[in-house]
Amino acid sequence: MNGTEAPSFASAALMFNWVEYSVFCSMLLLSLLVGVYFGWYKKQDTVAEYLLGGKKMSVFPVAMSLTFSHVSGVSLIGVPVEIYSYGTQYIVMCISFGIMYFIVVNSFLPVFFDLQLNSLYEYLELRFSKGTRTLASLIFALSLVIFIPVVIYIPALAFNQVTGVSIYVITPIVCLICVTYTSFGGLKAVVWTDTLQSIFTMSTIIFILVLGLLKIGGISEMIRINEESHRLELFNMDPSPFRRNTFWTICLGSVFTWLSHVGVHPGTSQRFIAVSTFKEARSVLLWTCVGYVWIKVLITVLGLLIYAHYHDCDPIATKMVQKSGQVMPLYVMEVAKDYPGLTGLFISGSLSAALSTMSAGLNTVAGTIYEDFVQFILKGKQKSEAMQAFTLKVVVLVIGVICSLLVPIVERLGALLQVAYSLYGINSGALVGVFCLGVFFPRANAKGAIVGIITSVMVMIIVVFGAQYFIANGMLKFPGKVTSVNGCPADLLASLSFNASARVQTYVGVGSPVVADASVPLIFQLSYWYYITMGTLVVLLVGLPVSYLTEPVEMKHLEPALFAPFVRQFLPQKQKFPVKAPAEEYKLVPTNVHSKDMAEPDGDNEEHP
């Protein structure tokens, strides 16, 4: 390593000078201006405009928004640290994108696009019951409220590393800006700020990659160093589900993870029907998958670069950083110290990714809460479109405040990527499972769906929090691959009050071990990649038997439009679209346009299965 000491908060603040602050503040200001533009000059005064952008969005900004709304600080900061500690097995996730695309475009997307629902969870009411819809909506809202604080905390930690500013100061500021442009600008503001912020994020990654490769001596040198340390790993074919990272845990487990992100996520569905035709929706999904692969490859290479830089002086072992999430900011500070503005660009990029995810989450959860709870509470009362839009903005504000207040709790948790996926896995498996019950299994009924959801959530709460308990108490450990402090400056090692070499991870070989105390039950050693998979299977294994043992489903009463295209051939043919016409609900598109589309479908809409 080239540095001689761990950067203190004071030296970090000196490095983050007025140029860095200018770049950083420019991103926040531009994001805010987009919200102001769509909030005041291009007003979103109807719920349809606010949630769906009037269904006139184009493919490019929607695909960019969808890509970067899922490329949060968890990816930009957490994944390089994952590669640094555990190697490249993570990159096989790219295979899962192809599998996910095939499943979604041939099952979920045709159903949800045809139905054009105000809320994705309205599907569960049409397919099962109002109770199923309410339960699923509540679970989804809670899952986002749990996950968004993780997304906020990670870039706040990076900002703290390079400036010394407390996360308790920067977090409310970032949340305020995000809540402002999301609440006032609606989906159009979210989509266009996501597109703007993606420029900051991509610029950050590319600049750091180029500088890092120049500093380390090129791609071949980076590969050599990582190969010697056993980090280049793609085909660890160990079938055990209790290994942390293998080909199977990541490839298969992440299929269900991305189904929850893309296939049955209200925010994704919201963007799919924000374009005009099914062909455009399919293009959005395709380009989103391409974007995911591109991002994952770049940040994997970034992780390899960080290890090549610190391979002989581990900053975690020497306590140059207090948390693993600070390794990436430390690397940027050292690589970019001779390039004014680049550190500010990196912080802008990481915060952009967080803002993108948070704004998409707020917009989505606000729509879900409004459609599934507020509408029900205000049922029967006359509400103008402007008042409904205002109510949505208030919901965004309240959820944003709650998320910012939960950030201090996240600070007490462990490894960033594992914590993020673990928390997300508590509820997401239940949601994937209940939509699979609805779309693929005609015999499933409301009782089976509700019992399956409740059982899945209860099981996953026990598994996830049980694992976190054993991890927190040191009874369950996941040591990383080999690191070293042999190349650290002697004065740095001499200044430490502990033996740094004793903290070095020394595991070599394929995979990364799970070190568990004999008292830890095997179920808590399950790879966190399988949490959503397990939650989904619990819904199916419980929901289907309950359905068969309770009320039998009359096949002739089932609407084919509620099932995946390949399932419809086994059902009695009925009308193409289910009837739904609560008088007080708003229309997504003008009635005359919708009727015209139904009578004379265009060529694009006829292309899907």
Side-chain angles (χ1 to χ4, degrees):
M1 189 184 112
N2 297 328
T4 59
E5 60 180 359
S8 65
F9 284 154
S11 63
L14 289 175
M15 290 182 65
F16 209 77
N17 54 31
W18 68 270
V19 177
E20 318 297 339
Y21 277 109
S22 297
V23 175
F24 173 74
C25 291
S26 296
M27 182 276 298
L28 294 181
L29 180 60
L30 286 172
S31 298
L32 190 59
L33 289 176
V34 171
V36 170
Y37 175 74
F38 284 107
W40 275 275
Y41 296 98
K42 294 285 187 179
K43 292 186 176 182
Q44 318 293 295
D45 287 334
T46 69
V47 178
E49 282 285 337
Y50 189 86
L51 291 179
L52 302 174
K55 278 188 56 64
K56 296 178 181 178
M57 302 294 293
S58 57
V59 171
F60 174 72
V62 174
M64 291 286 282
S65 173
L66 194 52
T67 299
F68 285 91
S69 65
H70 291 299
V71 181
S72 63
V74 175
S75 296
L76 191 58
I77 296 176
V79 173
V81 175
E82 174 77 11
I83 304 301
Y84 175 87
S85 299
Y86 298 101
T88 59
Q89 189 64 67
Y90 174 88
I91 195 62
V92 301
M93 178 186 288
C94 292
I95 298 174
S96 70
F97 294 137
I99 301 173
M100 178 270 291
Y101 174 83
F102 178 81
I103 294 174
V104 172
V105 83
N106 288 291
S107 56
F108 297 110
L109 184 57
V111 174
F112 301 147
F113 189 86
D114 279 351
L115 294 175
Q116 295 284 300
L117 300 174
N118 303 343
S119 164
L120 180 64
Y121 293 108
E122 190 176 351
Y123 168 84
L124 297 178
E125 181 177 0
L126 295 171
R127 176 65 180 86
F128 296 118
S129 67
K130 175 66 177 178
T132 310
R133 172 184 179 177
T134 303
L135 179 60
S137 298
L138 179 62
I139 289 174
F140 170 74
L142 290 175
S143 69
L144 273 189
V145 170
I146 292 172
F147 184 68
I148 288 176
V150 181
V151 171
I152 303 169
Y153 169 72
I154 293 175
L157 185 66
F159 190 82
N160 166 258
Q161 173 73 8
V162 300
T163 66
V165 177
S166 170
I167 63 170
Y168 303 116
V169 174
I170 188 60
T171 297
I173 295 174
V174 171
C175 289
L176 177 63
I177 292 173
C178 186
V179 167
T180 299
Y181 76 71
T182 304
S183 62
F184 285 102
L187 182 65
K188 285 186 177 179
V190 170
V191 167
W192 283 108
T193 49
D194 286 352
T195 303
L196 170 68
Q197 290 158 2
S198 69
I199 297 174
F200 281 89
T201 305
M202 290 304 300
S203 299
T204 298
I205 296 174
I206 291 172
F207 275 128
I208 297 302
L209 281 175
V210 171
L211 290 178
L213 287 171
L214 291 175
K215 195 174 187 67
I216 203 66
I219 295 177
S220 59
E221 182 65 11
M222 176 192 74
I223 292 175
R224 182 190 67 79
I225 295 173
N226 280 275
E227 186 175 22
E228 289 178 354
S229 301
H230 303 270
R231 272 168 174 72
L232 301 184
E233 179 180 305
L234 292 177
F235 299 106
N236 174 9
M237 307 306 286
D238 187 339
S240 172
F242 305 105
R243 297 290 180 263
R244 185 179 186 276
N245 286 354
T246 69
F247 178 90
W248 302 112
T249 59
I250 295 178
C251 186
L252 297 182
S254 60
V255 168
F256 289 86
T257 299
W258 287 101
L259 281 178
S260 70
H261 277 304
V262 177
V264 298
H265 193 284
T268 306
S269 175
Q270 189 180 18
R271 283 161 174 75
F272 286 149
I273 63 176
V275 296
S276 302
T277 66
F278 180 84
K279 182 178 180 180
E280 289 180 326
R282 192 169 54 191
S283 296
V284 167
L285 179 59
L286 176 61
W287 288 111
T288 297
C289 290
V290 172
Y292 286 156
V293 172
W294 174 244
I295 293 293
K296 295 301 181 185
V297 170
L298 289 181
I299 57 180
T300 297
V301 174
L302 192 54
L304 294 176
L305 271 177
I306 294 175
Y307 179 75
H309 185 76
Y310 292 119
H311 71 282
D312 58 355
C313 188
D314 181 18
I316 299 175
T318 57
K319 288 296 180 181
M320 293 178 66
V321 295
Q322 299 302 310
K323 297 178 181 292
S324 62
Q326 293 175 318
V327 173
M328 177 70 183
L330 176 67
Y331 175 74
V332 173
M333 289 167 60
E334 295 192 354
V335 169
K337 61 185 178 183
D338 296 327
Y339 299 87
L342 191 53
T343 303
L345 186 64
F346 165 73
I347 298 300
S348 297
S350 59
L351 273 174
S352 292
L355 285 172
S356 177
T357 302
M358 182 180 180
S359 62
L362 289 176
N363 186 262
T364 300
V365 78
T368 301
I369 290 175
Y370 179 81
E371 284 295 327
D372 299 334
F373 297 102
V374 177
Q375 286 275 52
F376 178 76
I377 294 172
L378 300 179
K379 189 174 183 179
K381 297 182 180 180
Q382 293 296 325
K383 306 176 291 296
S384 67
E385 286 282 3
M387 179 55 68
Q388 293 179 63
F390 175 76
T391 305
L392 275 167
K393 296 172 184 179
V394 173
V395 173
V396 169
L397 176 62
V398 172
I399 298 298
V401 171
I402 293 173
C403 290
S404 64
L405 293 177
L406 290 176
V407 171
I409 297 176
V410 177
E411 186 181 16
R412 301 179 182 276
L413 302 178
L416 297 179
L417 191 69
Q418 185 162 345
V419 166
Y421 278 105
S422 296
L423 292 177
Y424 192 72
I426 295 174
N427 297 329
S428 298
L431 298 176
V432 174
V434 72
F435 278 103
C436 287
L437 272 182
V439 170
F440 299 124
F441 299 96
R443 296 289 185 182
N445 64 20
K447 291 182 179 179
I450 292 175
V451 174
I453 291 174
I454 294 174
T455 305
S456 175
V457 172
M458 291 177 63
V459 168
M460 295 317 300
I461 286 176
I462 294 172
V463 172
V464 172
F465 284 105
Q468 290 299 314
Y469 169 81
F470 288 116
I471 291 172
N473 286 277
M475 302 169 69
L476 186 59
K477 300 179 181 179
F478 307 93
K481 292 183 178 293
V482 61
T483 60
S484 172
V485 294
N486 295 332
C488 292
D491 55 345
L492 172 61
L493 295 177
S495 66
L496 300 176
S497 59
F498 56 87
N499 182 5
S501 61
R503 303 192 178 203
V504 167
Q505 300 161 329
T506 57
Y507 180 76
V508 296
V510 176
S512 52
V514 175
V515 179
D517 187 88
S519 63
V520 179
L522 195 61
I523 188 63
F524 299 117
Q525 301 176 39
L526 180 72
S527 172
Y528 67 97
W529 288 107
Y530 279 140
Y531 284 167
I532 296 179
T533 307
M534 181 179 181
T536 302
L537 291 177
V538 169
V539 174
L540 299 179
L541 293 176
V542 172
L544 288 174
V546 170
S547 296
Y548 276 92
L549 293 174
T550 55
E551 302 173 10
V553 176
E554 291 287 344
M555 296 287 284
K556 64 181 180 180
H557 293 157
L558 296 176
E559 290 286 353
L562 298 176
F563 298 90
F566 68 87
V567 177
R568 295 172 189 172
Q569 60 184 311
F570 302 107
L571 302 174
Q573 293 300 307
K574 294 172 65 72
Q575 61 191 49
K576 185 176 181 181
F577 296 91
V579 177
K580 65 181 195 73
E584 71 276 12
E585 291 192 6
Y586 64 86
K587 303 295 183 183
L588 291 180
V589 292
T591 305
N592 60 333
V593 175
H594 188 65
S595 301
K596 181 180 178 182
D597 289 343
M598 293 280 289
E600 298 178 5
D602 58 37
D604 292 332
N605 282 326
E606 293 179 335
E607 288 190 15
H608 64 81

